[in-house]
């Protein structure tokens, strides 16, 4: 997200912590912890056709072009410096990252040489589809877009860059892609490629909401900007140990919320150090249908459609959280990084401000489980993800808006990083978003009966075709006890492709993998 720099205070060096790990920024790929700068991003899925030729091209030509975390950080300094001397145009920088499926690693390393890694990574995204509630055929195979031959995929190249000139927006990325494919020659076959691009309303996903507002803070990377809490980056952004997202560093202690380092994530192979798992999901968004739903359901419930949307997400389109702005949008809060994340859910024990099932409460319940499960917030912090997605597809066209029906595919190329796909992405999707009982242990005003919060109305899926619902779309704020249920007759998001990848360190690329 572009943070308006005028809103950020100078970082106070006295707020650093000697225990913070030193990240090997020359080893870690740039998209993992910081995120590559991107107007456009080509996701290029490939099969290795000639192993020796691929290894030699990788060693000779590709590795030196891989954008490291150090390079992304230096670019950010450049961008800030350019802004300070009045250059507000965006710097035009390209990036390249690379990852491999488990099958791809075995092709490079030999059968059995990538055993013992995360079980979800080994079995792959297609095997997970049914359990995640993705659309599948009678045999449990995912119904993904034609051409996305997932069995064939050995790796992915992430190519990022600026827009070209008007009418030629994709020229730069297409040229970069051709250059990289030339270097790889016949050693790879392209299985599928597709370009994601930021929307004209920069930073907003297709439903219209500001995205990328809340990300985990990372010790050793994120500057402390909350003098009132040295364990936070921006106010409300808890600092986590980097081992949650990249191998070779301490992770969270499941017994202690943030302060003490926990064990390093298990690394069955030394070459996994400074690498990370990447989850890719191509999620179609049915945008006209979503807005039509907000209108008709808003009318039925006597609720402003914008408020209904905000209660489903947990934030207004501006990014302002309903925990802070429960009834009306407050765009000044939405754009202010010092305020737009500065909240917890525990104090909202009756979902007066934010429905228990709202997308951001389901996917990161913050302190909601304190006193509900034994390790409360500490447990929550072991299921975080670092997101780095980008929208794809055109803006909604007139005919679609008129007919309130999607006629051209669009959505989110969802990407997230973690050190355990099982415990992080899949856990969030299955055990939280899809689980009608989560958030646990909650009640309504004047009642001790437990509430069933329902599905995350944005991404929650069912595995048995049962109806989706969300509890309490109507706000009982500041008082009241009206019961309401939101029926979600159709999904607004449809998974149409997915893949699980390992993003190795530069050293691993230079040695065992090439
Ligand atoms: C097309 C699909 C999706 C849309 C439109 C969407 C939209 C959003 C929006 C608008 C936000 C709030 C702004 C922010 O904090 O960044 C958000 C936050 C978040 N989303 Fe999604 N999302 C989608 C898919 C997913 C998926 C598949 C997951 C993981 C299973 C996920 C996990 C999260 C998390 C962890 C947060 C941050 C919560 C917090 O820290 O407060 N999202 N999403």
């Amino acid at each position: 997200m572009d943070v308006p720099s005028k809103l950020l205070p100078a970082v106070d060096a006295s707020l650093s912590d000697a225990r913070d790990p030193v990240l090997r920024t020359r080893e870690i790929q740039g998209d993992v912890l910081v995120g590559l700068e991107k107007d456009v991003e080509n996701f290029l899925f490939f099969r290795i056709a000639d192993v020796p030729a691929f290894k030699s091209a990788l060693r000779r030509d590709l590795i030196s072009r891989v954008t490291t975390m150090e390079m992304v950080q230096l670019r950010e300094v450049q961008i800030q410096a350019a802004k300070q001397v009045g250059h507000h145009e965006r710097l035009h920088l390209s990036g390249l990252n690379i990852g491999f499926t488990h099958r791809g690693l075995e092709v490079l390393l030999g059968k059995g040489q990538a055993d013992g890694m995360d079980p979800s990574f080994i079995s792959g995204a297609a095997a997970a589809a049914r359990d995640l509630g993705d659309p599948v055929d009678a045999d449990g195979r995912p119904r993904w877009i034609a051409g996305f031959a997932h069995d064939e995929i050995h790796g992915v190249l992430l190519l990022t860059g600026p827009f070209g000139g008007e009418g030629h927006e994709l020229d730069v990325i297409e040229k970069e892609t051709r250059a990289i494919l030339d270097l790889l020659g016949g050693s790879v076959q392209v299985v599928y490629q597709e370009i994601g691009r930021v929307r004209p309303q920069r930073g907003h996903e297709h439903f219209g909401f500001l995205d990328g507002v809340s990300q985990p803070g990372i010790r050793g990377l994120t500057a402390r900007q909350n003098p009132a809490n040295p364990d936070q980056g921006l106010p409300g952004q808890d600092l986590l140990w980097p081992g949650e997202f990249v191998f070779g560093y301490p992770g969270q202690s499941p017994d202690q919320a943030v302060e003490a380092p926990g064990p390093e994530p298990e690394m069955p192979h030394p070459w996994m150090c400074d690498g990370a798992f990447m989850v890719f999901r191509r999620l179609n968004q049915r945008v006209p249908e979503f807005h039509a739903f907000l209108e008709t359901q808003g009318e039925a419930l006597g609720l402003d459609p914008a408020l209904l949307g905000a209660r489903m997400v947990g934030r207004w389109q501006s990014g302002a959280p309903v925990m802070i702005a429960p009834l009306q949008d407050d765009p000044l809060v939405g754009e202010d990084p010092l305020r737009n994340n500065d909240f917890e859910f525990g104090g909202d024990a009756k979902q007066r401000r934010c429905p228990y099932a709202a997308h951001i409460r389901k996917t990161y319940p913050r302190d909601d489980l304190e006193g509900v499960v034994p390790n409360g917030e500490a447990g929550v912090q072991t299921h975080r993800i670092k997101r780095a997605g980008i929208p794809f597809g055109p803006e909604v066209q007139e005919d679609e808006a008129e007919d309130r029906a999607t006629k051209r595919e669009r959505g989110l190329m969802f990407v997230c990083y973690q050190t355990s796909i099982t415990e992080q992405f899949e856990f969030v999707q299955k055990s939280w978003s899809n689980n009608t009982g989560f958030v646990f242990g909650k009640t309504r005003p004047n009642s001790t009966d437990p509430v069933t919060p329902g599905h995350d109305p944005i991404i929650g899926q069912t595995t048995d075709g049962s109806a989706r619902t969300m509890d309490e779309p109507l706000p009982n704020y500041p008082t009241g006890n009206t019961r309401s249920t939101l029926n979600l007759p159709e999904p607004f998001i449809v998974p149409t492709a997915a893949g699980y990848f390992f993003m190795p360190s530069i050293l691993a690329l230079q040695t065992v993998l090439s």
Side-chain angles (χ1 to χ4, degrees), residues 47-307:
R47 193 179 90 81
I48 301 169
D50 179 335
V51 177
F54 176 77
K55 285 187 175 177
S56 108
L58 188 61
R59 207 171 40 238
R60 198 183 53 231
D61 298 314
L62 222 63
I63 298 171
S64 59
R65 290 172 186 248
V66 170
T67 314
T68 61
M69 176 174 165
E70 180 187 56
M71 286 154 84
V72 179
Q73 287 180 301
L74 281 172
R75 287 172 179 188
E76 283 188 352
V77 172
Q78 275 179 296
I79 292 167
Q80 288 307 325
K83 275 189 187 153
Q84 272 164 19
V85 293
H87 291 291
H88 288 290
E89 70 273 19
R90 302 180 58 74
L91 285 183
H92 284 197
L93 303 163
S94 300
L96 172 70
N97 274 189
I98 187 166
F100 299 96
T101 57
H102 185 254
R103 195 170 285 138
L105 289 179
E106 285 203 322
V107 164
L108 295 174
L109 296 165
K111 199 121 191 90
Q113 298 304 306
D115 286 358
M117 297 174 82
D118 179 56
S120 301
F121 172 67
I122 292 181
S123 48
R130 189 205 292 258
D131 266 7
L132 292 172
D134 292 1
V136 289
D137 66 17
D139 299 323
R141 279 190 302 257
R143 280 194 253 121
W144 287 342
I145 32 166
F148 191 82
H150 55 88
D151 289 343
E152 303 268 303
I153 296 171
H154 292 150
V156 65
L157 291 166
L158 305 179
L159 293 121
T160 59
F163 280 125
E166 215 182 313
H168 301 274
E169 283 82 3
L170 304 183
D171 280 10
V172 179
I173 202 77
E174 283 170 355
K175 193 167 152 231
E176 296 278 340
T177 304
R178 277 195 303 275
I180 295 295
L181 285 176
D182 280 352
L183 294 174
L184 287 167
S187 73
V188 298
Q189 286 163 353
V190 177
V191 176
Y192 183 81
Q193 60 175 320
E194 188 167 355
I195 295 177
R197 52 196 289 170
V198 296
R199 293 189 50 227
Q201 193 187 12
R202 208 185 164 82
H204 292 247
E205 51 70 48
H206 274 291
F207 293 146
F209 295 84
L210 185 61
D211 203 359
V213 181
S214 171
Q215 294 274 24
I218 295 163
R219 285 176 180 266
L221 168 65
T222 311
R224 289 176 169 78
Q225 301 187 43
N226 183 5
N229 187 341
D231 290 312
Q232 293 191 341
L234 289 160
Q237 185 190 32
D238 293 333
L239 291 176
L240 304 192
W241 292 88
E244 293 301 312
F245 310 103
V246 62
F247 286 98
Y249 302 88
Q252 287 300 112
S253 158
D255 308 317
Q256 259 206 310
V258 279
E259 299 83 0
E264 285 190 11
E266 228 171 277
M267 203 167 53
H269 306 284
W271 48 260
M272 289 172 69
C273 190
D274 292 312
F277 289 121
M278 184 264 240
V279 168
F280 164 79
R281 278 166 80 73
R282 182 181 188 274
L283 301 173
N284 281 24
Q285 288 179 256
R286 301 173 66 238
V287 180
E289 290 84 350
F290 178 77
H291 289 301
F293 175 85
L294 294 186
E295 272 176 40
T296 52
Q297 288 303 306
E299 205 172 310
L301 291 160
L303 205 57
D304 171 18
L307 176 55

Side-chain angles (χ1 to χ4, degrees), residues 448-463:
T448 51
D449 293 346
V451 169
T452 301
H455 298 91
D456 172 337
I458 305 299
I459 62 162
Q461 307 192 123
T462 63
T463 47

Side-chain angles (χ1 to χ4, degrees), residues 194-505:
E194 188 167 355
I195 295 177
R197 52 196 289 170
V198 296
R199 293 189 50 227
Q201 193 187 12
R202 208 185 164 82
H204 292 247
E205 51 70 48
H206 274 291
F207 293 146
F209 295 84
L210 185 61
D211 203 359
V213 181
S214 171
Q215 294 274 24
I218 295 163
R219 285 176 180 266
L221 168 65
T222 311
R224 289 176 169 78
Q225 301 187 43
N226 183 5
N229 187 341
D231 290 312
Q232 293 191 341
L234 289 160
Q237 185 190 32
D238 293 333
L239 291 176
L240 304 192
W241 292 88
E244 293 301 312
F245 310 103
V246 62
F247 286 98
Y249 302 88
Q252 287 300 112
S253 158
D255 308 317
Q256 259 206 310
V258 279
E259 299 83 0
E264 285 190 11
E266 228 171 277
M267 203 167 53
H269 306 284
W271 48 260
M272 289 172 69
C273 190
D274 292 312
F277 289 121
M278 184 264 240
V279 168
F280 164 79
R281 278 166 80 73
R282 182 181 188 274
L283 301 173
N284 281 24
Q285 288 179 256
R286 301 173 66 238
V287 180
E289 290 84 350
F290 178 77
H291 289 301
F293 175 85
L294 294 186
E295 272 176 40
T296 52
Q297 288 303 306
E299 205 172 310
L301 291 160
L303 205 57
D304 171 18
L307 176 55
L308 178 57
R311 295 210 24 110
M312 289 165 71
V313 172
R315 289 186 187 270
W316 297 86
Q317 295 208 350
S318 72
V322 291
M323 285 300 298
I324 295 176
L327 294 181
Q328 251 178 339
D329 193 3
D330 188 341
L332 287 179
V333 171
E335 70 165 23
D336 185 347
L338 294 176
R339 291 196 288 165
N340 63 17
N341 232 346
D342 197 8
F343 61 91
E344 299 282 352
F345 292 117
D348 187 39
K350 304 289 178 198
Q351 61 182 335
R352 290 193 189 282
R353 287 170 180 266
C354 183
Y356 298 136
H359 179 57
I360 67 161
R361 195 160 181 169
K362 281 272 198 181
T363 53
Y364 176 34
R366 301 183 186 225
D367 65 340
D368 235 359
L369 296 183
E370 280 297 318
V372 177
V373 295
N375 59 351
E377 187 170 358
V380 167
Q381 301 292 10
T382 63
H383 304 292
R384 304 290 305 280
I385 50 177
K386 175 82 179 59
R387 292 170 298 140
I390 189 166
F392 71 91
E395 293 294 292
V396 172
Q397 313 281 301
E398 226 168 88
D399 57 333
E400 299 180 284
E402 266 169 25
D403 297 349
R404 303 180 146 208
T406 299
K407 297 177 184 176
R408 294 159 198 91
E409 283 199 3
R410 63 181 60 78
L412 182 68
M413 299 291 202
F414 174 85
V415 169
C416 74
Y417 294 98
Q418 58 254 285
T419 45
S420 167
I421 296 174
T422 310
E423 289 301 323
Q424 291 168 275
F425 163 69
E426 285 190 355
F427 190 94
V428 172
Q429 179 74 54
K430 281 198 286 201
S431 304
W432 289 352
S433 285
N434 294 358
N435 181 354
T436 54
F438 191 78
V439 179
F440 310 124
K442 298 294 176 189
T443 55
R444 284 202 181 79
N446 313 327
S447 166
T448 51
D449 293 346
V451 169
T452 301
H455 298 91
D456 172 337
I458 305 299
I459 62 162
Q461 307 192 123
T462 63
T463 47
D464 57 4
S466 57
R468 298 190 315 140
T469 58
M470 180 188 97
D471 193 50
E472 221 106 304
L474 277 171
N476 285 307
Y477 182 84
T479 56
N481 187 13
T482 306
R483 295 192 171 187
S484 58
T485 303
L486 187 66
N487 292 310
L488 299 151
E490 37 178 9
F492 304 114
I493 281 170
V494 183
T496 46
Y500 293 164
F501 299 90
F502 180 71
M503 313 294 288
S505 68

